[in-house]
Amino acid sequence: MQKQLHFNKPQLRSMMIGAPVEIAVMGRGTGKSEGILATKSSKCYFGTMPRGTGVILGATYNQILTRTLPAMVAGWERLGYVNNHHYVIGKKPTEKWMKMWKWKGPYRPPFSFQYFVSWWNGSGAHMVSQDRQGSSNGITIDWIIGDEAKLLNAEKFRTELLPANRGILPEFSNNPYHHGITLTTDMPVGTAGRWILDYSDKLNDIRSKGQTHKETINQIWKIQVVRYQLNFLLKKEERSTFEKELRKQIAVLDAEINELRKDLLYYHEASTLENIHALGIEYIKQQLRDTTPFQFDTQ
């Protein structure tokens, strides 16, 4: 029996576009960690790069361990991944667990598993904090995700972590998500977080294929509409003479989308109202009552 999952519009946009580099500026309560980071990490980064290694980034370890990671765990479990079964956090996997999954571990395993997430297919992620000097020193990674990005130090991000996102594994050479970056945050206030908003200007940059990022995003949307229609037909035509042909057409579209995703940047914003069906109107009323107009507008 298939389990039905609900995602709000910003989360669905993230999944449909599936850009390797994604910057999501979204209001509080929109499911950034649970709906975007958990899905992106499990399906795109962990999922498509077995034995690869990434980073879960935070301004502090307290932020990662008390806010970001618990929400991601909730998102993973919603998708069917169970803690201590499909993945292990903060400890070396047991011999029994490794034997169960025939686990070979990452191509570049950590020296310590204290701040590491081990995934069932051999991939994993370092938990890296900017308040711990040198926590990213010496690591070579294949992707980066991070929540509350407005709290990150832009200079440290560019000079300490980005150079580590240099994995050169030939196994991932055609994977659009290799060297991917996904950052989520609510609206930055002041100049410190301005660098996050600057990503929106890059949407009009010309890519290697002669299109802007924005044009490529629109093209992916159009292909996804056709793919959805074919998939709808496939459900009606299962076990018929048309099934094989429909699957072939869907595979062609998937390959085309995958090619368009290479080096793609997707910047998007969303209001908390996008998730009002889950949060409820009383939450919005409470925030209106208990915060200043400026705080309400930015958060």
Side-chain angles (χ1 to χ4, degrees):
M1 183 176 177
Q2 288 188 335
K3 177 183 176 183
Q4 283 198 333
L5 298 176
H6 173 81
F7 295 94
N8 60 38
K9 289 180 181 179
Q11 294 165 348
L12 289 171
R13 288 198 295 265
S14 172
M15 288 185 281
M16 295 291 278
I17 299 302
V21 178
E22 179 178 357
I23 311 298
V25 180
M26 299 165 57
R28 293 194 176 179
T30 45
K32 296 183 287 293
S33 296
E34 184 173 340
I36 290 183
L37 293 183
T39 304
K40 194 77 171 284
S41 59
S42 61
K43 299 294 185 184
C44 302
Y45 296 146
F46 284 136
T48 70
M49 287 181 276
R51 304 191 68 191
T53 308
V55 153
I56 299 171
L57 176 65
T60 67
Y61 275 120
N62 184 61
Q63 174 210 320
I64 295 172
L65 296 173
T66 63
R67 298 197 294 276
T68 302
L69 201 55
M72 288 180 65
V73 166
W76 289 337
E77 297 208 351
R78 187 173 171 227
L79 294 168
Y81 300 105
V82 179
N83 192 10
N84 290 319
H85 178 70
H86 294 101
Y87 58 93
V88 177
I89 300 174
K91 58 187 177 183
K92 186 175 181 178
T94 64
E95 291 292 331
K96 181 180 178 182
W97 190 85
M98 289 189 282
K99 186 177 180 181
M100 176 179 66
W101 292 113
K102 298 179 182 178
W103 194 75
K104 295 181 180 179
Y107 289 111
R108 297 183 179 90
F111 289 115
S112 169
F113 286 85
Q114 183 179 3
Y115 295 106
F116 195 79
V117 178
S118 301
W119 205 253
W120 68 271
N121 65 355
S123 58
H126 300 273
M127 289 176 263
V128 169
S129 162
Q130 287 192 332
D131 69 340
R132 189 78 60 88
Q133 190 171 0
S135 62
S136 61
N137 286 356
I139 63 173
T140 297
I141 55 174
D142 304 296
W143 50 268
I144 300 167
I145 62 171
D147 191 22
E148 301 187 34
K150 71 176 186 181
L151 302 177
L152 296 174
N153 181 295
E155 187 62 23
K156 284 186 176 181
F157 178 73
R158 294 185 183 117
T159 60
E160 295 180 8
L161 192 58
L162 283 186
N165 194 11
R166 59 179 181 262
I168 54 173
L169 294 167
E171 290 83 357
F172 308 143
S173 59
N174 292 316
N175 189 321
Y177 296 106
H178 198 207
H179 306 308
I181 301 169
T182 297
L183 301 176
T184 60
T185 185
D186 58 351
M187 183 60 70
V189 179
T191 58
R194 178 68 208 182
W195 66 283
I196 296 294
L197 302 182
D198 288 343
Y199 275 98
S200 64
D201 298 331
K202 300 180 187 294
L203 287 174
N204 292 312
D205 289 353
I206 301 295
R207 303 174 63 227
S208 58
K209 301 181 187 301
Q211 290 182 317
T212 64
H213 293 279
K214 188 179 292 184
E215 288 170 336
T216 305
I217 289 165
N218 290 335
Q219 188 175 353
I220 289 175
W221 268 122
K222 291 174 182 177
I223 297 171
Q224 288 284 26
V225 169
V226 177
R227 189 194 185 283
Y228 177 85
Q229 292 168 340
L230 290 176
N231 200 53
F232 180 77
L233 284 174
L234 179 63
K235 291 178 181 178
K236 296 173 67 175
E237 298 291 345
E238 281 185 341
R239 300 182 188 87
S240 78
T241 54
F242 299 108
E243 180 182 2
K244 187 176 180 180
E245 181 58 31
L246 286 169
R247 290 190 184 279
K248 188 185 297 184
Q249 290 181 35
I250 290 171
V252 169
L253 294 181
D254 285 341
E256 186 176 353
I257 292 170
N258 220 37
E259 186 65 26
L260 288 169
R261 282 172 174 156
K262 290 180 179 177
D263 302 319
L264 181 64
L265 163 70
Y266 180 39
Y267 174 95
H268 58 125
E269 298 180 0
S271 162
T272 300
L273 295 176
E274 297 269 20
N275 207 29
I276 194 169
H277 53 282
L279 295 170
I281 189 63
E282 293 304 320
Y283 172 79
I284 305 298
K285 289 180 179 178
Q286 179 192 6
Q287 297 304 307
L288 273 169
R289 184 180 65 246
D290 297 340
T291 62
T292 66
F294 178 75
Q295 289 172 328
F296 183 85
D297 287 344
T298 54
Q299 296 174 8

PDB file of all heavy atoms in Angstrom, residues 213-237:
ATOM      1  N   HIS A 213      19.647  31.034 -16.225  1.00  0.00           N
ATOM      2  CA  HIS A 213      19.103  30.075 -15.256  1.00  0.00           C
ATOM      3  C   HIS A 213      17.579  30.144 -15.254  1.00  0.00           C
ATOM      4  O   HIS A 213      16.897  29.117 -15.199  1.00  0.00           O
ATOM      5  CB  HIS A 213      19.648  30.373 -13.851  1.00  0.00           C
ATOM      6  CG  HIS A 213      21.109  30.126 -13.704  1.00  0.00           C
ATOM      7  ND1 HIS A 213      21.634  28.881 -13.492  1.00  0.00           N
ATOM      8  CD2 HIS A 213      22.169  30.974 -13.747  1.00  0.00           C
ATOM      9  CE1 HIS A 213      22.952  28.960 -13.391  1.00  0.00           C
ATOM     10  NE2 HIS A 213      23.302  30.216 -13.547  1.00  0.00           N
ATOM     11  N   LYS A 214      17.042  31.372 -15.326  1.00  0.00           N
ATOM     12  CA  LYS A 214      15.592  31.551 -15.299  1.00  0.00           C
ATOM     13  C   LYS A 214      14.933  30.871 -16.504  1.00  0.00           C
ATOM     14  O   LYS A 214      13.901  30.214 -16.377  1.00  0.00           O
ATOM     15  CB  LYS A 214      15.259  33.042 -15.283  1.00  0.00           C
ATOM     16  CG  LYS A 214      13.788  33.349 -15.064  1.00  0.00           C
ATOM     17  CD  LYS A 214      13.534  34.850 -15.042  1.00  0.00           C
ATOM     18  CE  LYS A 214      14.140  35.495 -13.823  1.00  0.00           C
ATOM     19  NZ  LYS A 214      13.804  36.955 -13.736  1.00  0.00           N
ATOM     20  N   GLU A 215      15.540  31.005 -17.676  1.00  0.00           N
ATOM     21  CA  GLU A 215      14.993  30.377 -18.877  1.00  0.00           C
ATOM     22  C   GLU A 215      15.037  28.856 -18.774  1.00  0.00           C
ATOM     23  O   GLU A 215      14.102  28.162 -19.193  1.00  0.00           O
ATOM     24  CB  GLU A 215      15.781  30.841 -20.107  1.00  0.00           C
ATOM     25  CG  GLU A 215      15.500  32.284 -20.491  1.00  0.00           C
ATOM     26  CD  GLU A 215      16.457  32.811 -21.541  1.00  0.00           C
ATOM     27  OE1 GLU A 215      17.582  32.270 -21.649  1.00  0.00           O
ATOM     28  OE2 GLU A 215      16.100  33.767 -22.240  1.00  0.00           O
ATOM     29  N   THR A 216      16.110  28.336 -18.200  1.00  0.00           N
ATOM     30  CA  THR A 216      16.227  26.884 -18.039  1.00  0.00           C
ATOM     31  C   THR A 216      15.196  26.359 -17.052  1.00  0.00           C
ATOM     32  O   THR A 216      14.597  25.301 -17.259  1.00  0.00           O
ATOM     33  CB  THR A 216      17.642  26.501 -17.562  1.00  0.00           C
ATOM     34  OG1 THR A 216      18.606  27.043 -18.455  1.00  0.00           O
ATOM     35  CG2 THR A 216      17.802  24.988 -17.503  1.00  0.00           C
ATOM     36  N   ILE A 217      14.963  27.112 -15.970  1.00  0.00           N
ATOM     37  CA  ILE A 217      13.944  26.732 -14.984  1.00  0.00           C
ATOM     38  C   ILE A 217      12.569  26.645 -15.661  1.00  0.00           C
ATOM     39  O   ILE A 217      11.819  25.685 -15.449  1.00  0.00           O
ATOM     40  CB  ILE A 217      13.925  27.737 -13.817  1.00  0.00           C
ATOM     41  CG1 ILE A 217      15.180  27.572 -12.953  1.00  0.00           C
ATOM     42  CG2 ILE A 217      12.662  27.572 -12.964  1.00  0.00           C
ATOM     43  CD1 ILE A 217      15.439  28.729 -12.013  1.00  0.00           C
ATOM     44  N   ASN A 218      12.251  27.628 -16.485  1.00  0.00           N
ATOM     45  CA  ASN A 218      10.967  27.610 -17.203  1.00  0.00           C
ATOM     46  C   ASN A 218      10.876  26.428 -18.162  1.00  0.00           C
ATOM     47  O   ASN A 218       9.807  25.825 -18.328  1.00  0.00           O
ATOM     48  CB  ASN A 218      10.777  28.926 -17.956  1.00  0.00           C
ATOM     49  CG  ASN A 218      10.520  30.100 -17.032  1.00  0.00           C
ATOM     50  OD1 ASN A 218      10.028  29.918 -15.920  1.00  0.00           O
ATOM     51  ND2 ASN A 218      10.860  31.298 -17.477  1.00  0.00           N
ATOM     52  N   GLN A 219      11.990  26.088 -18.784  1.00  0.00           N
ATOM     53  CA  GLN A 219      11.999  24.951 -19.700  1.00  0.00           C
ATOM     54  C   GLN A 219      11.757  23.643 -18.950  1.00  0.00           C
ATOM     55  O   GLN A 219      11.000  22.774 -19.405  1.00  0.00           O
ATOM     56  CB  GLN A 219      13.328  24.888 -20.450  1.00  0.00           C
ATOM     57  CG  GLN A 219      13.338  23.853 -21.569  1.00  0.00           C
ATOM     58  CD  GLN A 219      14.627  23.885 -22.375  1.00  0.00           C
ATOM     59  OE1 GLN A 219      15.477  24.754 -22.190  1.00  0.00           O
ATOM     60  NE2 GLN A 219      14.781  22.917 -23.276  1.00  0.00           N
ATOM     61  N   ILE A 220      12.383  23.514 -17.785  1.00  0.00           N
ATOM     62  CA  ILE A 220      12.163  22.309 -16.973  1.00  0.00           C
ATOM     63  C   ILE A 220      10.704  22.202 -16.559  1.00  0.00           C
ATOM     64  O   ILE A 220      10.108  21.121 -16.594  1.00  0.00           O
ATOM     65  CB  ILE A 220      13.090  22.308 -15.737  1.00  0.00           C
ATOM     66  CG1 ILE A 220      14.544  22.065 -16.172  1.00  0.00           C
ATOM     67  CG2 ILE A 220      12.659  21.232 -14.727  1.00  0.00           C
ATOM     68  CD1 ILE A 220      15.556  22.156 -15.048  1.00  0.00           C
ATOM     69  N   TRP A 221      10.094  23.348 -16.191  1.00  0.00           N
ATOM     70  CA  TRP A 221       8.679  23.339 -15.821  1.00  0.00           C
ATOM     71  C   TRP A 221       7.819  22.776 -16.948  1.00  0.00           C
ATOM     72  O   TRP A 221       6.931  21.949 -16.729  1.00  0.00           O
ATOM     73  CB  TRP A 221       8.205  24.765 -15.498  1.00  0.00           C
ATOM     74  CG  TRP A 221       8.314  25.161 -14.063  1.00  0.00           C
ATOM     75  CD1 TRP A 221       9.008  26.199 -13.557  1.00  0.00           C
ATOM     76  CD2 TRP A 221       7.712  24.518 -12.932  1.00  0.00           C
ATOM     77  NE1 TRP A 221       8.890  26.240 -12.191  1.00  0.00           N
ATOM     78  CE2 TRP A 221       8.089  25.227 -11.779  1.00  0.00           C
ATOM     79  CE3 TRP A 221       6.885  23.403 -12.795  1.00  0.00           C
ATOM     80  CZ2 TRP A 221       7.669  24.872 -10.506  1.00  0.00           C
ATOM     81  CZ3 TRP A 221       6.471  23.034 -11.514  1.00  0.00           C
ATOM     82  CH2 TRP A 221       6.858  23.769 -10.396  1.00  0.00           C
ATOM     83  N   LYS A 222       8.074  23.240 -18.166  1.00  0.00           N
ATOM     84  CA  LYS A 222       7.276  22.797 -19.314  1.00  0.00           C
ATOM     85  C   LYS A 222       7.431  21.289 -19.545  1.00  0.00           C
ATOM     86  O   LYS A 222       6.449  20.588 -19.823  1.00  0.00           O
ATOM     87  CB  LYS A 222       7.684  23.576 -20.556  1.00  0.00           C
ATOM     88  CG  LYS A 222       7.300  25.043 -20.503  1.00  0.00           C
ATOM     89  CD  LYS A 222       7.851  25.808 -21.700  1.00  0.00           C
ATOM     90  CE  LYS A 222       7.506  27.293 -21.599  1.00  0.00           C
ATOM     91  NZ  LYS A 222       8.104  28.069 -22.715  1.00  0.00           N
ATOM     92  N   ILE A 223       8.655  20.804 -19.414  1.00  0.00           N
ATOM     93  CA  ILE A 223       8.888  19.369 -19.609  1.00  0.00           C
ATOM     94  C   ILE A 223       8.217  18.566 -18.493  1.00  0.00           C
ATOM     95  O   ILE A 223       7.651  17.497 -18.730  1.00  0.00           O
ATOM     96  CB  ILE A 223      10.401  19.066 -19.665  1.00  0.00           C
ATOM     97  CG1 ILE A 223      11.037  19.773 -20.859  1.00  0.00           C
ATOM     98  CG2 ILE A 223      10.651  17.564 -19.781  1.00  0.00           C
ATOM     99  CD1 ILE A 223      12.555  19.706 -20.876  1.00  0.00           C
ATOM    100  N   GLN A 224       8.258  19.089 -17.275  1.00  0.00           N
ATOM    101  CA  GLN A 224       7.636  18.399 -16.144  1.00  0.00           C
ATOM    102  C   GLN A 224       6.123  18.285 -16.323  1.00  0.00           C
ATOM    103  O   GLN A 224       5.515  17.293 -15.909  1.00  0.00           O
ATOM    104  CB  GLN A 224       7.957  19.125 -14.826  1.00  0.00           C
ATOM    105  CG  GLN A 224       9.395  18.976 -14.348  1.00  0.00           C
ATOM    106  CD  GLN A 224       9.678  17.620 -13.729  1.00  0.00           C
ATOM    107  OE1 GLN A 224       9.030  16.616 -14.036  1.00  0.00           O
ATOM    108  NE2 GLN A 224      10.673  17.563 -12.861  1.00  0.00           N
ATOM    109  N   VAL A 225       5.512  19.297 -16.945  1.00  0.00           N
ATOM    110  CA  VAL A 225       4.068  19.235 -17.214  1.00  0.00           C
ATOM    111  C   VAL A 225       3.765  18.069 -18.147  1.00  0.00           C
ATOM    112  O   VAL A 225       2.836  17.277 -17.923  1.00  0.00           O
ATOM    113  CB  VAL A 225       3.559  20.564 -17.821  1.00  0.00           C
ATOM    114  CG1 VAL A 225       2.131  20.403 -18.334  1.00  0.00           C
ATOM    115  CG2 VAL A 225       3.619  21.671 -16.775  1.00  0.00           C
ATOM    116  N   VAL A 226       4.569  17.934 -19.210  1.00  0.00           N
ATOM    117  CA  VAL A 226       4.380  16.826 -20.159  1.00  0.00           C
ATOM    118  C   VAL A 226       4.639  15.491 -19.464  1.00  0.00           C
ATOM    119  O   VAL A 226       3.890  14.526 -19.654  1.00  0.00           O
ATOM    120  CB  VAL A 226       5.329  16.984 -21.369  1.00  0.00           C
ATOM    121  CG1 VAL A 226       5.182  15.795 -22.321  1.00  0.00           C
ATOM    122  CG2 VAL A 226       5.006  18.280 -22.107  1.00  0.00           C
ATOM    123  N   ARG A 227       5.683  15.457 -18.633  1.00  0.00           N
ATOM    124  CA  ARG A 227       6.005  14.221 -17.915  1.00  0.00           C
ATOM    125  C   ARG A 227       4.859  13.804 -16.994  1.00  0.00           C
ATOM    126  O   ARG A 227       4.525  12.628 -16.884  1.00  0.00           O
ATOM    127  CB  ARG A 227       7.291  14.405 -17.103  1.00  0.00           C
ATOM    128  CG  ARG A 227       7.825  13.096 -16.507  1.00  0.00           C
ATOM    129  CD  ARG A 227       8.877  13.338 -15.453  1.00  0.00           C
ATOM    130  NE  ARG A 227       9.443  12.087 -14.999  1.00  0.00           N
ATOM    131  CZ  ARG A 227       8.854  11.240 -14.159  1.00  0.00           C
ATOM    132  NH1 ARG A 227       7.623  11.516 -13.705  1.00  0.00           N
ATOM    133  NH2 ARG A 227       9.447  10.132 -13.786  1.00  0.00           N
ATOM    134  N   TYR A 228       4.275  14.790 -16.323  1.00  0.00           N
ATOM    135  CA  TYR A 228       3.137  14.508 -15.441  1.00  0.00           C
ATOM    136  C   TYR A 228       1.977  13.906 -16.227  1.00  0.00           C
ATOM    137  O   TYR A 228       1.331  12.949 -15.789  1.00  0.00           O
ATOM    138  CB  TYR A 228       2.696  15.791 -14.736  1.00  0.00           C
ATOM    139  CG  TYR A 228       1.483  15.623 -13.858  1.00  0.00           C
ATOM    140  CD1 TYR A 228       1.605  15.172 -12.545  1.00  0.00           C
ATOM    141  CD2 TYR A 228       0.210  15.898 -14.342  1.00  0.00           C
ATOM    142  CE1 TYR A 228       0.495  14.998 -11.739  1.00  0.00           C
ATOM    143  CE2 TYR A 228      -0.916  15.732 -13.552  1.00  0.00           C
ATOM    144  CZ  TYR A 228      -0.771  15.282 -12.249  1.00  0.00           C
ATOM    145  OH  TYR A 228      -1.863  15.105 -11.459  1.00  0.00           O
ATOM    146  N   GLN A 229       1.716  14.469 -17.398  1.00  0.00           N
ATOM    147  CA  GLN A 229       0.621  13.960 -18.232  1.00  0.00           C
ATOM    148  C   GLN A 229       0.886  12.520 -18.685  1.00  0.00           C
ATOM    149  O   GLN A 229      -0.018  11.678 -18.689  1.00  0.00           O
ATOM    150  CB  GLN A 229       0.435  14.883 -19.437  1.00  0.00           C
ATOM    151  CG  GLN A 229      -0.100  16.255 -19.063  1.00  0.00           C
ATOM    152  CD  GLN A 229      -0.009  17.252 -20.204  1.00  0.00           C
ATOM    153  OE1 GLN A 229       0.760  17.061 -21.146  1.00  0.00           O
ATOM    154  NE2 GLN A 229      -0.785  18.325 -20.125  1.00  0.00           N
ATOM    155  N   LEU A 230       2.138  12.253 -19.071  1.00  0.00           N
ATOM    156  CA  LEU A 230       2.492  10.891 -19.484  1.00  0.00           C
ATOM    157  C   LEU A 230       2.395   9.919 -18.317  1.00  0.00           C
ATOM    158  O   LEU A 230       1.939   8.779 -18.475  1.00  0.00           O
ATOM    159  CB  LEU A 230       3.914  10.868 -20.058  1.00  0.00           C
ATOM    160  CG  LEU A 230       4.120  11.560 -21.414  1.00  0.00           C
ATOM    161  CD1 LEU A 230       5.586  11.541 -21.794  1.00  0.00           C
ATOM    162  CD2 LEU A 230       3.276  10.880 -22.495  1.00  0.00           C
ATOM    163  N   ASN A 231       2.802  10.374 -17.144  1.00  0.00           N
ATOM    164  CA  ASN A 231       2.731   9.513 -15.963  1.00  0.00           C
ATOM    165  C   ASN A 231       1.287   9.209 -15.590  1.00  0.00           C
ATOM    166  O   ASN A 231       0.957   8.098 -15.145  1.00  0.00           O
ATOM    167  CB  ASN A 231       3.456  10.180 -14.793  1.00  0.00           C
ATOM    168  CG  ASN A 231       3.857   9.187 -13.721  1.00  0.00           C
ATOM    169  OD1 ASN A 231       4.515   8.178 -13.997  1.00  0.00           O
ATOM    170  ND2 ASN A 231       3.455   9.452 -12.496  1.00  0.00           N
ATOM    171  N   PHE A 232       0.415  10.197 -15.777  1.00  0.00           N
ATOM    172  CA  PHE A 232      -1.018   9.995 -15.528  1.00  0.00           C
ATOM    173  C   PHE A 232      -1.570   8.934 -16.481  1.00  0.00           C
ATOM    174  O   PHE A 232      -2.338   8.045 -16.082  1.00  0.00           O
ATOM    175  CB  PHE A 232      -1.761  11.322 -15.695  1.00  0.00           C
ATOM    176  CG  PHE A 232      -3.246  11.229 -15.460  1.00  0.00           C
ATOM    177  CD1 PHE A 232      -3.755  11.163 -14.175  1.00  0.00           C
ATOM    178  CD2 PHE A 232      -4.127  11.209 -16.529  1.00  0.00           C
ATOM    179  CE1 PHE A 232      -5.125  11.067 -13.954  1.00  0.00           C
ATOM    180  CE2 PHE A 232      -5.484  11.116 -16.318  1.00  0.00           C
ATOM    181  CZ  PHE A 232      -5.987  11.047 -15.027  1.00  0.00           C
ATOM    182  N   LEU A 233      -1.163   9.019 -17.742  1.00  0.00           N
ATOM    183  CA  LEU A 233      -1.585   8.018 -18.726  1.00  0.00           C
ATOM    184  C   LEU A 233      -1.046   6.634 -18.389  1.00  0.00           C
ATOM    185  O   LEU A 233      -1.731   5.627 -18.557  1.00  0.00           O
ATOM    186  CB  LEU A 233      -1.114   8.419 -20.125  1.00  0.00           C
ATOM    187  CG  LEU A 233      -1.879   9.534 -20.832  1.00  0.00           C
ATOM    188  CD1 LEU A 233      -1.190   9.898 -22.130  1.00  0.00           C
ATOM    189  CD2 LEU A 233      -3.319   9.105 -21.100  1.00  0.00           C
ATOM    190  N   LEU A 234       0.198   6.619 -17.905  1.00  0.00           N
ATOM    191  CA  LEU A 234       0.837   5.341 -17.574  1.00  0.00           C
ATOM    192  C   LEU A 234       0.043   4.582 -16.511  1.00  0.00           C
ATOM    193  O   LEU A 234      -0.118   3.360 -16.588  1.00  0.00           O
ATOM    194  CB  LEU A 234       2.270   5.588 -17.095  1.00  0.00           C
ATOM    195  CG  LEU A 234       3.078   4.365 -16.681  1.00  0.00           C
ATOM    196  CD1 LEU A 234       3.281   3.417 -17.856  1.00  0.00           C
ATOM    197  CD2 LEU A 234       4.431   4.783 -16.107  1.00  0.00           C
ATOM    198  N   LYS A 235      -0.464   5.299 -15.523  1.00  0.00           N
ATOM    199  CA  LYS A 235      -1.246   4.645 -14.469  1.00  0.00           C
ATOM    200  C   LYS A 235      -2.524   4.016 -15.030  1.00  0.00           C
ATOM    201  O   LYS A 235      -2.998   3.002 -14.517  1.00  0.00           O
ATOM    202  CB  LYS A 235      -1.584   5.658 -13.372  1.00  0.00           C
ATOM    203  CG  LYS A 235      -0.367   6.096 -12.564  1.00  0.00           C
ATOM    204  CD  LYS A 235      -0.734   7.131 -11.516  1.00  0.00           C
ATOM    205  CE  LYS A 235       0.491   7.566 -10.730  1.00  0.00           C
ATOM    206  NZ  LYS A 235       0.161   8.614  -9.733  1.00  0.00           N
ATOM    207  N   LYS A 236      -3.045   4.628 -16.078  1.00  0.00           N
ATOM    208  CA  LYS A 236      -4.269   4.090 -16.697  1.00  0.00           C
ATOM    209  C   LYS A 236      -3.954   2.951 -17.668  1.00  0.00           C
ATOM    210  O   LYS A 236      -4.806   2.102 -17.930  1.00  0.00           O
ATOM    211  CB  LYS A 236      -5.002   5.203 -17.435  1.00  0.00           C
ATOM    212  CG  LYS A 236      -5.509   6.326 -16.527  1.00  0.00           C
ATOM    213  CD  LYS A 236      -6.084   7.471 -17.326  1.00  0.00           C
ATOM    214  CE  LYS A 236      -7.357   7.058 -18.045  1.00  0.00           C
ATOM    215  NZ  LYS A 236      -7.999   8.198 -18.750  1.00  0.00           N
ATOM    216  N   GLU A 237      -2.713   2.956 -18.198  1.00  0.00           N
ATOM    217  CA  GLU A 237      -2.359   1.995 -19.248  1.00  0.00           C
ATOM    218  C   GLU A 237      -1.433   0.877 -18.767  1.00  0.00           C
ATOM    219  O   GLU A 237      -0.822   0.191 -19.579  1.00  0.00           O
ATOM    220  CB  GLU A 237      -1.684   2.736 -20.413  1.00  0.00           C
ATOM    221  CG  GLU A 237      -2.551   3.768 -21.090  1.00  0.00           C
ATOM    222  CD  GLU A 237      -3.703   3.148 -21.873  1.00  0.00           C
ATOM    223  OE1 GLU A 237      -3.655   1.925 -22.129  1.00  0.00           O
ATOM    224  OE2 GLU A 237      -4.654   3.883 -22.223  1.00  0.00           O
TER     225      GLU A 237
END
